[in-house]
Amino acid sequence: MNNKNIFYVLLFFVMIAWGGSWVNVKVLGNYISAYEMILMRFGITALTMVPIIIWLKHSFKIDLKSLGLVTLVSITLIFYNKYYYLGTKFGTASLGGAMVTTLIPILTFVFLALLGSKKVSKKDAIALVIGAIGVLTMMHIWSFETERIFVIHNLYFLLAAILWAILTIISSKSTKISPIVFTFYMYIITVALD
């Protein structure tokens, strides 16, 4: 099996884990708070990253600009996880997993277009409209019943998607540090601030 095939197999398992995380949070929501979930999730992950960073021979050194970006991203990550937790606790895990995952690239693209960092081509516009129709369908917009559309978990999922899009844009500004080291510090600071 070549490297490309291994990548696709691993990507498949990552997507299963991503989908499973929504269900896990739904179940855990009955036993722990959002802040306990953040502490366990990112604390354990940060610890498991240390041997990987050492094995890859990356430096733990971080410059001041990257540290500032990491701090901003960490604050955003805490709020994202709070809304992810609340949306999943009060809504359904499947809706959250589908809606947030669909909204993130749409919102990221829209924010970048509004900031002037991205030009919208005809193909991009068509893709955005199709994605928006999918999200609106998940929100039951076609029912025209405000009590179904504006339920609290839909708003939590929308806020989570907005925050992840912002997190993505801020993270992309870091170019002087390895992505895995950036992520390690992001998790460490998230746990410390949490």
Side-chain angles (χ1 to χ4, degrees), residues 147-187:
E147 64 275 0
R148 289 189 76 185
I149 298 166
F150 295 108
V151 291
I152 194 70
H153 59 269
N154 280 354
L155 298 177
Y156 286 142
F157 291 143
L158 178 61
L159 285 169
I162 289 168
L163 287 164
W164 194 269
I166 292 168
L167 186 148
T168 301
I169 293 167
I170 296 170
S171 298
S172 70
K173 304 296 180 195
S174 178
T175 56
K176 294 183 178 180
I177 187 172
S178 161
I180 194 166
V181 175
F182 183 92
T183 304
F184 168 76
Y185 281 112
M186 177 178 71
Y187 291 165

Short mmCIF file of all heavy atoms in Angstrom, two decimals, residues 147-187:
data_model
loop_
_atom_site.label_atom_id
_atom_site.label_comp_id
_atom_site.label_asym_id
_atom_site.label_seq_id
_atom_site.Cartn_x
_atom_site.Cartn_y
_atom_site.Cartn_z
N GLU A 147 -40.57 28.35 15.61
CA GLU A 147 -40.20 27.53 16.77
C GLU A 147 -39.34 26.34 16.37
O GLU A 147 -38.62 25.79 17.20
CB GLU A 147 -41.45 27.08 17.56
CG GLU A 147 -42.41 26.16 16.83
CD GLU A 147 -43.44 26.91 15.98
OE1 GLU A 147 -43.42 28.15 15.95
OE2 GLU A 147 -44.26 26.23 15.33
N ARG A 148 -39.37 25.91 15.11
CA ARG A 148 -38.50 24.83 14.64
C ARG A 148 -37.17 25.37 14.13
O ARG A 148 -36.14 24.72 14.24
CB ARG A 148 -39.18 24.02 13.53
CG ARG A 148 -40.32 23.17 14.02
CD ARG A 148 -40.82 22.25 12.95
NE ARG A 148 -39.89 21.13 12.79
CZ ARG A 148 -40.02 20.21 11.85
NH1 ARG A 148 -41.01 20.25 11.00
NH2 ARG A 148 -39.14 19.24 11.75
N ILE A 149 -37.19 26.56 13.55
CA ILE A 149 -35.98 27.13 12.95
C ILE A 149 -35.07 27.73 14.02
O ILE A 149 -33.87 27.49 14.03
CB ILE A 149 -36.36 28.22 11.91
CG1 ILE A 149 -37.17 27.60 10.78
CG2 ILE A 149 -35.10 28.89 11.37
CD1 ILE A 149 -37.87 28.61 9.90
N PHE A 150 -35.66 28.50 14.93
CA PHE A 150 -34.86 29.24 15.90
C PHE A 150 -34.77 28.53 17.26
O PHE A 150 -34.72 29.19 18.29
CB PHE A 150 -35.40 30.66 16.07
CG PHE A 150 -35.28 31.48 14.81
CD1 PHE A 150 -36.40 31.80 14.07
CD2 PHE A 150 -34.04 31.88 14.36
CE1 PHE A 150 -36.28 32.54 12.90
CE2 PHE A 150 -33.91 32.62 13.20
CZ PHE A 150 -35.04 32.94 12.46
N VAL A 151 -34.73 27.21 17.23
CA VAL A 151 -34.53 26.48 18.48
C VAL A 151 -33.10 26.75 18.95
O VAL A 151 -32.20 27.01 18.15
CB VAL A 151 -34.78 24.96 18.31
CG1 VAL A 151 -36.25 24.69 18.09
CG2 VAL A 151 -33.95 24.38 17.21
N ILE A 152 -32.92 26.68 20.26
CA ILE A 152 -31.65 27.10 20.86
C ILE A 152 -30.46 26.31 20.32
O ILE A 152 -29.40 26.88 20.10
CB ILE A 152 -31.73 27.05 22.41
CG1 ILE A 152 -30.57 27.79 23.04
CG2 ILE A 152 -31.81 25.62 22.91
CD1 ILE A 152 -30.61 29.27 22.88
N HIS A 153 -30.63 25.00 20.08
CA HIS A 153 -29.46 24.24 19.63
C HIS A 153 -29.02 24.64 18.23
O HIS A 153 -27.85 24.59 17.92
CB HIS A 153 -29.69 22.72 19.75
CG HIS A 153 -30.84 22.20 18.96
ND1 HIS A 153 -32.10 22.10 19.51
CD2 HIS A 153 -30.93 21.76 17.70
CE1 HIS A 153 -32.92 21.59 18.60
NE2 HIS A 153 -32.23 21.39 17.50
N ASN A 154 -29.96 25.08 17.36
CA ASN A 154 -29.56 25.59 16.05
C ASN A 154 -28.68 26.82 16.20
O ASN A 154 -27.70 26.99 15.48
CB ASN A 154 -30.78 25.94 15.20
CG ASN A 154 -31.43 24.73 14.56
OD1 ASN A 154 -30.92 23.61 14.64
ND2 ASN A 154 -32.57 24.94 13.93
N LEU A 155 -29.05 27.70 17.14
CA LEU A 155 -28.25 28.91 17.37
C LEU A 155 -26.88 28.56 17.95
O LEU A 155 -25.88 29.16 17.58
CB LEU A 155 -29.01 29.87 18.28
CG LEU A 155 -30.34 30.37 17.72
CD1 LEU A 155 -31.05 31.27 18.73
CD2 LEU A 155 -30.15 31.11 16.40
N TYR A 156 -26.83 27.58 18.86
CA TYR A 156 -25.54 27.13 19.40
C TYR A 156 -24.66 26.56 18.28
O TYR A 156 -23.46 26.84 18.24
CB TYR A 156 -25.74 26.06 20.48
CG TYR A 156 -26.25 26.59 21.80
CD1 TYR A 156 -27.16 25.85 22.54
CD2 TYR A 156 -25.83 27.81 22.32
CE1 TYR A 156 -27.64 26.31 23.76
CE2 TYR A 156 -26.30 28.28 23.53
CZ TYR A 156 -27.21 27.52 24.25
OH TYR A 156 -27.67 27.98 25.45
N PHE A 157 -25.24 25.76 17.41
CA PHE A 157 -24.47 25.17 16.30
C PHE A 157 -23.98 26.26 15.35
O PHE A 157 -22.85 26.21 14.85
CB PHE A 157 -25.29 24.13 15.54
CG PHE A 157 -25.56 22.88 16.32
CD1 PHE A 157 -26.77 22.22 16.19
CD2 PHE A 157 -24.61 22.33 17.16
CE1 PHE A 157 -27.03 21.04 16.89
CE2 PHE A 157 -24.86 21.16 17.88
CZ PHE A 157 -26.08 20.52 17.73
N LEU A 158 -24.81 27.26 15.10
CA LEU A 158 -24.41 28.38 14.23
C LEU A 158 -23.25 29.14 14.86
O LEU A 158 -22.26 29.45 14.18
CB LEU A 158 -25.60 29.31 13.98
CG LEU A 158 -25.32 30.55 13.13
CD1 LEU A 158 -24.86 30.16 11.73
CD2 LEU A 158 -26.55 31.43 13.05
N LEU A 159 -23.34 29.43 16.16
CA LEU A 159 -22.24 30.11 16.85
C LEU A 159 -20.96 29.28 16.83
O LEU A 159 -19.87 29.81 16.63
CB LEU A 159 -22.64 30.43 18.29
CG LEU A 159 -23.63 31.58 18.46
CD1 LEU A 159 -24.16 31.62 19.89
CD2 LEU A 159 -23.00 32.90 18.09
N ALA A 160 -21.10 27.97 17.02
CA ALA A 160 -19.93 27.09 16.98
C ALA A 160 -19.26 27.15 15.60
O ALA A 160 -18.04 27.24 15.50
CB ALA A 160 -20.32 25.65 17.33
N ALA A 161 -20.06 27.10 14.55
CA ALA A 161 -19.51 27.14 13.19
C ALA A 161 -18.83 28.49 12.91
O ALA A 161 -17.75 28.53 12.30
CB ALA A 161 -20.62 26.88 12.17
N ILE A 162 -19.43 29.58 13.36
CA ILE A 162 -18.83 30.91 13.18
C ILE A 162 -17.48 30.97 13.89
O ILE A 162 -16.48 31.42 13.33
CB ILE A 162 -19.77 32.02 13.70
CG1 ILE A 162 -20.98 32.16 12.76
CG2 ILE A 162 -19.04 33.35 13.84
CD1 ILE A 162 -22.10 33.03 13.33
N LEU A 163 -17.44 30.47 15.12
CA LEU A 163 -16.20 30.50 15.89
C LEU A 163 -15.11 29.63 15.27
O LEU A 163 -13.94 30.01 15.24
CB LEU A 163 -16.47 30.08 17.34
CG LEU A 163 -17.21 31.14 18.16
CD1 LEU A 163 -17.78 30.54 19.42
CD2 LEU A 163 -16.30 32.31 18.48
N TRP A 164 -15.49 28.46 14.74
CA TRP A 164 -14.48 27.61 14.10
C TRP A 164 -13.95 28.26 12.83
O TRP A 164 -12.76 28.16 12.52
CB TRP A 164 -15.02 26.21 13.81
CG TRP A 164 -13.89 25.29 13.48
CD1 TRP A 164 -13.36 25.02 12.25
CD2 TRP A 164 -13.09 24.55 14.42
NE1 TRP A 164 -12.31 24.16 12.35
CE2 TRP A 164 -12.13 23.85 13.68
CE3 TRP A 164 -13.12 24.41 15.80
CZ2 TRP A 164 -11.18 23.02 14.28
CZ3 TRP A 164 -12.19 23.58 16.39
CH2 TRP A 164 -11.24 22.91 15.64
N ALA A 165 -14.80 28.94 12.09
CA ALA A 165 -14.35 29.65 10.88
C ALA A 165 -13.34 30.73 11.27
O ALA A 165 -12.30 30.90 10.62
CB ALA A 165 -15.54 30.25 10.14
N ILE A 166 -13.63 31.47 12.34
CA ILE A 166 -12.71 32.50 12.83
C ILE A 166 -11.40 31.86 13.28
O ILE A 166 -10.32 32.36 12.98
CB ILE A 166 -13.37 33.31 13.98
CG1 ILE A 166 -14.52 34.15 13.42
CG2 ILE A 166 -12.35 34.18 14.70
CD1 ILE A 166 -15.43 34.76 14.48
N LEU A 167 -11.51 30.75 14.00
CA LEU A 167 -10.33 30.01 14.46
C LEU A 167 -9.45 29.60 13.27
O LEU A 167 -8.24 29.74 13.32
CB LEU A 167 -10.80 28.78 15.23
CG LEU A 167 -9.78 27.91 15.93
CD1 LEU A 167 -10.40 27.31 17.19
CD2 LEU A 167 -9.29 26.80 15.05
N THR A 168 -10.08 29.13 12.20
CA THR A 168 -9.35 28.72 11.00
C THR A 168 -8.59 29.89 10.39
O THR A 168 -7.42 29.76 10.02
CB THR A 168 -10.33 28.13 9.96
OG1 THR A 168 -11.00 27.02 10.54
CG2 THR A 168 -9.62 27.69 8.69
N ILE A 169 -9.25 31.02 10.29
CA ILE A 169 -8.62 32.20 9.68
C ILE A 169 -7.46 32.70 10.54
O ILE A 169 -6.38 32.99 10.02
CB ILE A 169 -9.67 33.31 9.44
CG1 ILE A 169 -10.67 32.85 8.38
CG2 ILE A 169 -9.00 34.61 9.03
CD1 ILE A 169 -11.91 33.70 8.26
N ILE A 170 -7.65 32.77 11.85
CA ILE A 170 -6.57 33.22 12.74
C ILE A 170 -5.40 32.24 12.68
O ILE A 170 -4.24 32.65 12.57
CB ILE A 170 -7.06 33.37 14.19
CG1 ILE A 170 -8.12 34.46 14.30
CG2 ILE A 170 -5.89 33.70 15.12
CD1 ILE A 170 -8.83 34.52 15.64
N SER A 171 -5.68 30.93 12.72
CA SER A 171 -4.62 29.92 12.69
C SER A 171 -3.79 30.00 11.43
O SER A 171 -2.58 29.74 11.45
CB SER A 171 -5.22 28.51 12.78
OG SER A 171 -5.92 28.34 13.98
N SER A 172 -4.42 30.36 10.31
CA SER A 172 -3.70 30.40 9.03
C SER A 172 -2.65 31.51 8.99
O SER A 172 -1.76 31.49 8.14
CB SER A 172 -4.69 30.58 7.88
OG SER A 172 -5.24 31.89 7.90
N LYS A 173 -2.72 32.45 9.91
CA LYS A 173 -1.75 33.54 9.96
C LYS A 173 -0.40 33.12 10.55
O LYS A 173 0.59 33.82 10.42
CB LYS A 173 -2.30 34.73 10.78
CG LYS A 173 -3.62 35.26 10.29
CD LYS A 173 -3.50 35.85 8.91
CE LYS A 173 -4.84 36.39 8.44
NZ LYS A 173 -4.87 36.64 7.01
N SER A 174 -0.38 31.96 11.21
CA SER A 174 0.85 31.48 11.82
C SER A 174 1.68 30.72 10.79
O SER A 174 1.27 29.67 10.32
CB SER A 174 0.53 30.56 13.00
OG SER A 174 1.72 30.07 13.55
N THR A 175 2.83 31.26 10.44
CA THR A 175 3.68 30.64 9.43
C THR A 175 5.08 30.32 9.94
O THR A 175 5.86 29.66 9.27
CB THR A 175 3.80 31.55 8.19
OG1 THR A 175 4.30 32.82 8.63
CG2 THR A 175 2.47 31.71 7.50
N LYS A 176 5.42 30.79 11.14
CA LYS A 176 6.80 30.63 11.63
C LYS A 176 6.95 29.45 12.58
O LYS A 176 8.01 29.29 13.18
CB LYS A 176 7.23 31.91 12.35
CG LYS A 176 7.32 33.11 11.44
CD LYS A 176 7.82 34.32 12.19
CE LYS A 176 7.95 35.51 11.24
NZ LYS A 176 8.42 36.70 11.92
N ILE A 177 5.94 28.65 12.72
CA ILE A 177 5.98 27.54 13.67
C ILE A 177 5.32 26.33 13.03
O ILE A 177 4.40 26.46 12.22
CB ILE A 177 5.28 27.95 14.99
CG1 ILE A 177 5.45 26.89 16.07
CG2 ILE A 177 3.84 28.27 14.78
CD1 ILE A 177 4.95 27.32 17.43
N SER A 178 5.80 25.16 13.38
CA SER A 178 5.22 23.92 12.86
C SER A 178 3.75 23.82 13.27
O SER A 178 3.40 24.14 14.42
CB SER A 178 6.00 22.73 13.44
OG SER A 178 5.25 21.55 13.34
N PRO A 179 2.86 23.38 12.38
CA PRO A 179 1.44 23.25 12.73
C PRO A 179 1.20 22.35 13.96
O PRO A 179 0.33 22.64 14.77
CB PRO A 179 0.80 22.65 11.48
CG PRO A 179 1.72 23.03 10.37
CD PRO A 179 3.10 23.07 10.96
N ILE A 180 1.97 21.30 14.10
CA ILE A 180 1.77 20.40 15.24
C ILE A 180 2.20 21.07 16.54
O ILE A 180 1.55 20.91 17.58
CB ILE A 180 2.47 19.03 15.03
CG1 ILE A 180 1.95 18.03 16.06
CG2 ILE A 180 3.97 19.15 15.10
CD1 ILE A 180 2.31 16.59 15.76
N VAL A 181 3.25 21.87 16.51
CA VAL A 181 3.69 22.60 17.71
C VAL A 181 2.68 23.72 18.02
O VAL A 181 2.34 23.94 19.18
CB VAL A 181 5.12 23.16 17.52
CG1 VAL A 181 5.54 24.01 18.71
CG2 VAL A 181 6.11 22.03 17.31
N PHE A 182 2.18 24.38 16.99
CA PHE A 182 1.14 25.40 17.16
C PHE A 182 -0.08 24.78 17.85
O PHE A 182 -0.61 25.34 18.82
CB PHE A 182 0.73 25.99 15.80
CG PHE A 182 -0.28 27.09 15.87
CD1 PHE A 182 0.13 28.42 15.94
CD2 PHE A 182 -1.64 26.81 15.87
CE1 PHE A 182 -0.81 29.44 16.01
CE2 PHE A 182 -2.58 27.83 15.93
CZ PHE A 182 -2.17 29.15 16.00
N THR A 183 -0.50 23.61 17.37
CA THR A 183 -1.65 22.92 17.94
C THR A 183 -1.38 22.50 19.39
O THR A 183 -2.26 22.62 20.25
CB THR A 183 -2.01 21.69 17.08
OG1 THR A 183 -2.24 22.13 15.74
CG2 THR A 183 -3.25 20.99 17.60
N PHE A 184 -0.17 22.03 19.66
CA PHE A 184 0.20 21.64 21.02
C PHE A 184 0.03 22.82 21.98
O PHE A 184 -0.62 22.71 23.03
CB PHE A 184 1.65 21.13 21.04
CG PHE A 184 2.21 20.98 22.43
CD1 PHE A 184 1.83 19.91 23.22
CD2 PHE A 184 3.11 21.91 22.93
CE1 PHE A 184 2.34 19.76 24.51
CE2 PHE A 184 3.63 21.77 24.21
CZ PHE A 184 3.25 20.69 25.00
N TYR A 185 0.60 23.98 21.60
CA TYR A 185 0.48 25.16 22.46
C TYR A 185 -0.97 25.65 22.55
O TYR A 185 -1.42 26.13 23.58
CB TYR A 185 1.40 26.28 22.00
CG TYR A 185 2.82 26.05 22.43
CD1 TYR A 185 3.83 25.79 21.52
CD2 TYR A 185 3.16 26.09 23.79
CE1 TYR A 185 5.13 25.56 21.93
CE2 TYR A 185 4.45 25.85 24.21
CZ TYR A 185 5.44 25.59 23.28
OH TYR A 185 6.72 25.36 23.69
N MET A 186 -1.71 25.50 21.46
CA MET A 186 -3.11 25.88 21.47
C MET A 186 -3.87 25.05 22.52
O MET A 186 -4.66 25.59 23.30
CB MET A 186 -3.73 25.66 20.08
CG MET A 186 -5.21 25.95 20.00
SD MET A 186 -5.88 25.72 18.33
CE MET A 186 -5.82 23.95 18.16
N TYR A 187 -3.60 23.75 22.57
CA TYR A 187 -4.27 22.89 23.55
C TYR A 187 -3.82 23.20 24.97
O TYR A 187 -4.63 23.23 25.88
CB TYR A 187 -4.03 21.42 23.21
CG TYR A 187 -4.71 20.94 21.95
CD1 TYR A 187 -4.35 19.75 21.35
CD2 TYR A 187 -5.73 21.68 21.35
CE1 TYR A 187 -4.98 19.31 20.20
CE2 TYR A 187 -6.35 21.25 20.19
CZ TYR A 187 -5.98 20.05 19.63
OH TYR A 187 -6.61 19.62 18.48
#
